[in-house]
Amino acid sequence: MPPSPAGRAGVTPGCHREEWLAEAAPALRARVEAVGLPVEERPLMALDPHHPVPPQPLPDGVALRVLTADDPALPKALALPRLAFAEPGTAVGLAGPVELSAVAEELVADGTVEAVRPTLRAGHKTLIAAFAPDGTPLAVGHYHPAGGTTKIGGVGALPTARRQGLAAAVTAALAVHARNHGVRTVFLAYAEDTVARIYARLGFRPANVTLLIANQPARS
């Protein structure tokens, strides 16, 4: 069972969504709901520490890359989760490269991209994306290491690029990268059973329940 990255408080640091393990802070849900904020549950899955995670197949011409703070694709990589989570599920959707460019411009304009760069430079956040031959990010995900533990989050594929195994490939790459950089416990949350089945094939197993304040914007 994965421990809380935030230790005693049980709230995950470094994330844009306020989130905590149910068993780490059992009284916190009632306090949050008492002030009128809705709380949602997300089941957790932890990666079996003895389970090897092989690279997942990618479509021809698609390549994975760890993004640096100065990567020119960073704005689009940060924009991708907004489009992915706006069209939930695994079916092919409507949003594609044009919409991705528009959201990326918004994130540059509002300062989101600049705010993320120091976190990447300091190694507090690792961002991995799958790129099309023309450099367009097709899927992305990240992790924030803390005390040998991390939660993989923000995994999503561009809606027009779904059903190609891209999200699974990114998740596997994140897990391997985290392990190679000293992370012992890797876990993640899911909202749909279809997604859980993908994670199960990679070696993740049911673990705990995380609670989060609902109706917050999805950002990488």
Side-chain angles (χ1 to χ4, degrees):
M1 182 178 298
S4 166
R8 296 174 185 172
V11 178
T12 304
C15 297
H16 293 287
R17 293 169 69 89
E18 294 299 330
E19 186 175 348
W20 66 95
L21 289 180
E23 72 171 21
L28 186 55
R29 177 172 189 166
R31 292 167 61 186
V32 170
E33 291 179 330
V35 297
L37 295 174
V39 174
E40 292 182 356
E41 294 186 4
R42 292 286 186 272
L44 290 178
M45 300 180 77
L47 183 61
D48 182 341
H50 305 294
H51 191 285
V53 182
Q56 299 298 296
L58 289 166
D60 290 343
V62 175
L64 295 171
R65 184 167 84 237
V66 179
L67 279 81
T68 65
D70 301 311
D71 197 306
L74 182 60
K76 290 185 178 180
L78 295 176
L80 199 156
R82 288 199 180 183
L83 298 178
F85 300 146
E87 296 185 47
T90 59
V92 175
L94 299 176
V98 172
E99 291 79 7
L100 186 64
S101 295
V103 176
E105 290 177 2
E106 293 177 7
L107 297 188
V108 171
D110 70 12
T112 296
V113 176
E114 285 305 315
V116 170
R117 295 190 199 277
T119 305
L120 292 174
R121 289 194 181 99
H124 299 317
K125 178 189 184 85
T126 295
L127 191 66
I128 296 180
F131 289 90
D134 67 358
T136 300
L138 302 177
V140 70
H142 67 259
Y143 74 86
H144 297 264
T149 298
T150 196
K151 178 187 174 189
I152 291 176
V155 177
L158 194 64
T160 56
R162 287 172 176 163
R163 308 300 293 231
Q164 300 183 73
L166 297 172
V170 167
T171 302
L174 288 165
V176 171
H177 190 280
R179 280 178 164 178
N180 289 342
H181 288 78
V183 175
R184 298 180 300 276
T185 302
V186 180
F187 65 102
L188 45 74
Y190 68 93
E192 300 180 17
D193 290 340
T194 53
V195 176
R197 287 193 287 271
I198 295 173
Y199 294 147
R201 290 198 293 269
L202 297 178
F204 287 86
R205 300 292 180 260
N208 203 320
V209 175
T210 185
L211 302 176
L212 56 89
I213 298 176
N215 303 325
Q216 298 176 90
R219 290 188 284 176
S220 177

